[in-house]
Amino acid sequence: MTAMVSSSNGLTTREAARRLAADGPNRLPAPRRTPAAMVLLRQFVHFFALLLWGAAVLALLAGMPQLALAIVVVILLNGVFSFVQEHKADRAAQRLGELIPAKVVVRRDGRRAEVDAADLVTGDVVLLEAGDRICADLDLADVHGLAVNESMLTGESVPVRPERGGRVLAGTFVVEGEAEAVVVGVGGATRLAGIAALTRAASRPPGPLAVQLGKVVRMVAVIALAVGCGFFGLAVLLGMSPGQGFLFALGVTVALVPEGLLPTVTLSLARAAQRMAAKNALVRHLEAVETLGATTFICTDKTGTLTLNRMTVAEVWGSAAEAVRSAVLSSTGRLVDGKPIGDPMEVALHVEAMRLGLDVDAEVTARRPFDSARRRTSVVAEGVIHVKGAADTVLPLCASVPAGAEEALAGMSGRGLRVLAVARGRGPRERDLDLLGLVGLVDPPRDDVAEAIWKCRLAGIKLAMVTGDHPGTARAVAAEVGLLAPGSVVLTGPELPPDDAALGELLDRDGVVVARVTPEDKLRIARALRSRGHVVAMTGDGVNDGPALREADIGVAMGASGTDVAREAADLVLLDDHFATVVAAVELGRATYANIRRFLTYHLTDNVAELAPFAVWALSGGQIPLALTVLQVLALDIGTDLLPALALGAEPAHPRTMDGPARTGNLIDRRLTFRVFGVLGPAQALSEMLAFGGVLWLGGWTFGAAPDAGLLAVASGTAFTAVVLGQFANAFACRSQTRWVGRQRWLDNPLLLGALAFEAAILLVFLGVLAVAGLLGGTFPSAAGWALATLAIPAVVAADATHKAWNMRRGVN
């Protein structure tokens, strides 16, 4: 970087051009972007997609092109759908560049000039005034009442008052005063660029759902390959040629791959994302839906998240009308046409004056702006002096302090109010003043925050406030909204231990408040809590929040007041900025997790019924013919399984969804496994095989004989029908882990009723359309076949009711 050499006249045009050529434009380094084609390609090469590609190839080798084509269609549809849902490129660093304004006023060749911000170089003299966005890192050479809003970088809600010789940073705003400053850092050398680098470096961890689905897919792959190899050996032992046995084993392996599982998961998450959007929570990454439900720790910002980010006069001690009017006369901040202009604290004073109906128009003949040494402002108007500022600087200037003022000051400060003392004098000098009153201001909490915090604790979710604000203010707000819990600690960023393990141990408690944090601190906090096994949700709205939002398991950004940087770095955007929306989203996330377990139970139960014919054929040594063909199994997976599974993915949340900690264990645990393989699956498989065998027996078939082709087609159609009707009962059984079918409110999920009606219609197509029936290998059941197939419904319902009654007696919910 070119050395910073300048004068009060600024750089010459020639020197500025030389430095621009040497150092490059004032732009943030552009991050590497993943091409859209590569993003799309990734949808087709993850593990489950590769498993399905392998199944399609095996189906083609097995002489079943229809099966191969159907699987390829499933892969393509799911990949394209996922791409459309997920294709929002991570533009956080790009949005950071938009914080640099297009034009800036400088002094060059001794004259004022307006140049492109990109052409700014080190050594340039920049002229700042209220309303300007600061475009580079600057050292202040001359200051006149300057106030700078740094909240997007630091999280501090109160504007800072830098003095001559101080530094202001790119991306911040001038809210009051004016200054001359010298550029000391542009482009990649700014603090803003450092935060951009942190945001890019922070990696988004895989969500709990991705981890669990990976386990499910690997388990399915292992089982399918193991069963396929076993059937190959059995087929050869039963007299098939190795070639025929290989093709048969391939068909079995393909049949065991749940082709509809991934589309069901994707569509279920997409539907949940739509429901969240209706509650003002916009999901940017589908897996964030389930990750929210698994959240165990929420790190929340203060300003704009728990509070309204709007200063308000909360209390006035003394003469309210006179105190507020004098405070406004000594201020420059105003509310104009409903828009705040200037210091938020002074805007709040103006709003209070309008509420009281005060006349605040008066000619100001002299003004002494705020500075950090005096910590007060004074103006001369109407022949008298009006003073406001910190109480410890104004009270000593008063001729006398009325009784009760000190007690009022202590009480307001103890309640976390920002207190201004307001006084008036009879001359132009700041002495022998009359104290008019004390004005307490506050950034009020949102109305529903306390209830939302209570719900989080009911759900076993720990909370921490992580803010760049003053620790006293943070403590007061935390106490007011109920976040500060017994045994809580209040820390500042510099007090955090340097070791991540010690940091995690210190913060792993409920109700922690961490103030004065830097972007690096927030990043470390998210990392330390995740290392202790927590699923961490981090809320934020500023540029400084970007790295931590990416590092957390789920980043939650404010949509209304937040920066584009935070929104683009986040997984979830709260469109209304309400912290309570986080709780609603968590509830939907938990409901989605429960629904995924519901349709996993449904899918796996049907897989048991689909595998049963092959197991019976093998165990009988080929003496009992196959009840289902491989194409019938595929028709069950995609044609009849898919819509009921999707409807189970839309099951409404249980009223007690938020009671107790989140379930973050395996999707397929011991309880689900027993329910599938010990209760529902055997009931459905037994009904299917009894219906198949009954039709064969009534048709004159004897054990070990080769049945007539027509009889086998009717029996196979009967087995197929029994599986579909068993799916009807299974779908209702999977709606609840505690209530049997007869106690459920069927109309609570109308999508399920519609899905089952469609399933019944497609069953008639599969059996009644000759071309389709001939392709699949089964025809309409006989009257006796229908009667036998229908028994699958009460069989599954009875098995489910018995299991739930047994669990209830054991006290298992």
Side-chain angles (χ1 to χ4, degrees):
M1 180 71 70
T2 303
M4 190 200 74
V5 179
S6 186
S7 70
S8 59
N9 290 327
L11 299 174
T12 64
T13 302
R14 175 178 294 182
E15 176 62 16
R18 186 190 69 78
R19 295 188 181 194
L20 182 63
D23 297 336
N26 180 30
R27 296 193 183 99
L28 294 174
R32 292 184 178 180
R33 300 288 172 193
T34 303
M38 183 62 68
V39 176
L40 178 61
L41 179 62
R42 287 175 181 170
Q43 307 298 330
F44 303 118
V45 295
H46 54 77
F47 184 81
F48 193 79
L50 292 176
L51 181 64
L52 292 180
W53 283 118
V57 171
L58 293 178
L60 195 61
L61 291 175
M64 294 178 284
Q66 303 92 335
L67 178 60
L69 179 61
I71 295 175
V72 169
V73 169
V74 169
I75 298 170
L76 295 178
L77 288 176
N78 189 72
V80 170
F81 183 80
S82 297
F83 171 75
V84 170
Q85 291 289 327
E86 300 288 358
H87 183 48
K88 291 183 179 179
D90 190 356
R91 296 175 292 170
Q94 179 180 342
R95 293 293 191 182
L96 280 164
E98 295 179 4
L99 295 179
I100 297 180
K103 297 289 184 179
V104 60
V105 177
V106 299
R107 184 179 291 123
R108 285 185 181 173
D109 300 315
R111 299 188 303 273
R112 286 173 63 97
E114 189 176 68
V115 301
D116 287 338
D119 294 338
L120 206 63
V121 297
T122 55
D124 260 326
V125 174
V126 178
L127 308 179
L128 299 174
E129 59 184 27
D132 286 349
R133 196 192 300 260
I134 297 172
C135 54
D137 288 356
L138 311 174
D139 278 351
L140 297 170
D142 193 16
V143 174
H144 299 282
L146 186 69
V148 178
N149 184 341
E150 296 183 343
S151 62
M152 288 199 304
L153 290 179
T154 66
E156 169 64 73
S157 59
V158 179
V160 298
R161 300 268 182 177
E163 298 180 339
R164 181 176 180 176
R167 179 166 294 184
V168 291
L169 303 176
T172 60
F173 292 89
V174 178
V175 296
E176 184 181 332
E178 58 186 30
E180 287 190 11
V182 180
V183 176
V184 295
V186 295
T190 61
R191 173 65 172 156
L192 194 62
I195 297 177
L198 278 176
T199 301
R200 291 194 299 271
S203 58
R204 179 172 286 112
L209 180 62
V211 174
Q212 291 300 320
L213 282 178
K215 291 180 180 179
V216 172
V217 168
R218 287 191 293 272
M219 181 190 74
V220 168
V222 169
I223 291 175
L225 291 174
V227 172
C229 291
F231 272 97
F232 172 73
L234 283 172
V236 172
L237 288 175
L238 292 173
M240 283 189 182
S241 68
Q244 290 177 321
F246 177 70
L247 294 178
F248 176 72
L250 286 180
V252 174
T253 303
V254 170
L256 287 177
V257 175
E259 291 85 2
L261 177 60
L262 198 59
T264 303
V265 172
T266 304
L267 290 169
S268 177
L269 292 176
R271 175 170 174 78
Q274 291 173 347
R275 294 171 67 190
M276 286 188 178
K279 293 180 177 290
N280 293 312
L282 179 64
V283 174
R284 298 189 64 249
H285 305 281
L286 284 183
E287 286 185 8
V289 172
E290 192 276 333
T291 307
L292 262 171
T295 298
T296 61
F297 207 114
I298 297 177
C299 297
T300 177
D301 198 4
K302 178 188 74 68
T303 305
T305 308
L306 299 178
T307 68
L308 293 170
N309 195 21
R310 186 172 65 239
M311 295 295 288
T312 302
V313 174
E315 185 177 343
V316 180
W317 179 90
S319 175
E322 291 185 330
V324 172
R325 184 173 187 271
S326 279
V328 175
L329 288 177
S330 60
S331 303
T332 58
R334 293 291 187 272
L335 184 72
V336 180
D337 296 329
K339 296 181 180 179
I341 298 176
D343 188 323
M345 179 189 67
E346 296 187 342
V347 173
L349 293 170
H350 186 221
V351 170
E352 181 67 9
M354 290 191 295
R355 188 185 71 82
L356 295 174
L358 303 177
D359 178 12
V360 293
D361 292 328
E363 182 181 356
V364 175
T365 57
R367 181 184 299 276
R368 292 190 67 183
F370 181 95
D371 64 58
S372 58
R374 298 175 64 249
R375 293 191 296 138
R376 62 181 180 271
T377 301
S378 64
V379 300
V380 177
E382 301 171 331
V384 299
I385 190 168
H386 304 269
V387 182
K388 78 171 189 301
D392 60 344
T393 69
V394 175
L395 294 183
L397 303 177
C398 296
S400 62
V401 177
E406 297 290 348
E407 292 80 0
L409 175 61
M412 287 184 181
S413 300
R415 291 190 292 277
L417 301 182
R418 180 178 174 84
V419 183
L420 294 175
V422 185
R424 185 173 59 198
R426 283 169 290 279
R429 308 181 70 175
E430 295 179 347
R431 66 182 185 186
D432 297 328
L433 305 177
D434 296 324
L435 182 66
L436 299 178
L438 303 173
V439 181
L441 299 102
V442 66
D443 180 6
R446 295 184 179 275
D447 293 338
D448 46 10
V449 165
E451 182 182 358
I453 288 174
W454 175 80
K455 287 182 178 179
C456 285
R457 289 192 167 129
L458 180 66
I461 299 172
K462 294 181 179 179
L463 294 167
M465 178 192 291
V466 182
T467 177
D469 222 330
H470 187 278
T473 305
R475 176 193 288 272
V477 172
E480 184 173 358
V481 300
L483 186 143
L484 208 62
S488 297
V489 294
V490 180
L491 305 165
T492 62
E495 294 173 342
L496 298 177
D499 179 65
D500 280 359
L503 176 63
E505 183 177 359
L506 176 64
L507 299 182
D508 192 1
R509 66 187 74 188
D510 189 30
V512 176
V513 175
V514 188
R516 295 296 193 208
V517 293
T518 65
E520 293 86 352
D521 291 333
K522 296 190 79 169
L523 196 64
R524 286 188 59 226
I525 288 169
R527 189 176 297 146
L529 291 173
R530 286 184 54 235
S531 70
R532 291 180 65 85
H534 282 293
V535 178
V536 179
M538 177 77 71
T539 74
D541 58 2
V543 175
N544 58 313
D545 296 320
L549 292 179
R550 283 188 58 88
E551 176 66 29
D553 293 283
I554 179 163
V556 183
M558 302 300 112
S561 63
T563 61
D564 285 340
V565 178
R567 287 192 289 267
E568 294 297 335
D571 305 281
L572 186 80
V573 179
L574 304 183
L575 301 179
D576 56 5
D577 285 10
H578 286 187
F579 182 76
T581 305
V582 177
V583 180
V586 168
E587 183 174 9
L588 280 172
R590 287 192 176 190
T592 301
Y593 178 85
N595 288 344
I596 290 174
R597 283 177 57 90
R598 286 185 176 100
F599 63 66
L600 268 177
T601 304
Y602 178 82
H603 269 305
L604 293 175
T605 298
D606 290 341
N607 278 358
V608 172
E610 292 162 4
L611 180 61
F614 298 94
V616 170
W617 173 85
L619 292 174
S620 69
Q623 299 299 300
I624 298 176
L626 278 171
L628 297 177
T629 67
V630 172
L631 285 178
Q632 281 176 316
V633 170
L634 184 69
L636 290 170
D637 273 343
I638 299 176
T640 65
D641 251 9
L642 195 56
L643 283 182
L646 288 174
L648 286 172
E651 189 71 22
H654 191 277
R656 293 189 298 170
T657 297
M658 292 294 285
D659 290 359
R663 298 192 61 174
T664 57
N666 293 331
L667 276 172
I668 300 179
D669 55 15
R670 183 179 302 176
R671 183 175 181 181
L672 187 148
T673 302
F674 178 77
R675 194 174 180 204
V676 168
F677 297 103
V679 181
L680 298 175
Q684 197 167 341
L686 183 62
S687 302
E688 165 198 17
M689 295 311 300
L690 287 177
F692 176 71
V695 170
L696 287 180
W697 179 73
L698 291 173
W701 172 79
T702 58
F703 185 80
D708 175 75
L711 177 61
L712 182 59
V714 172
S716 184
T718 302
F720 186 87
T721 303
V723 173
V724 172
L725 295 180
Q727 286 176 339
F728 282 29
N730 184 32
F732 281 102
C734 292
R735 289 188 64 200
S736 172
Q737 290 190 350
T738 57
R739 298 191 308 274
W740 78 287
V741 173
R743 290 184 56 212
Q744 295 177 14
R745 299 178 57 170
W746 292 13
L747 297 181
D748 283 354
N749 190 348
L751 288 177
L752 183 58
L753 298 178
L756 295 180
F758 176 84
E759 189 175 3
I762 203 169
L763 171 63
L764 298 179
V765 172
F766 286 159
L767 296 176
V769 177
L770 294 180
V772 177
L775 178 64
L776 296 180
T779 60
F780 256 107
S782 61
W786 277 108
L788 290 170
T790 304
L791 292 177
I793 295 176
V796 172
V797 169
D800 173 64
T802 301
H803 178 234
K804 288 172 179 175
W806 180 56
N807 280 341
M808 187 173 296
R809 283 196 297 271
R810 294 169 56 229
V812 178
N813 292 323

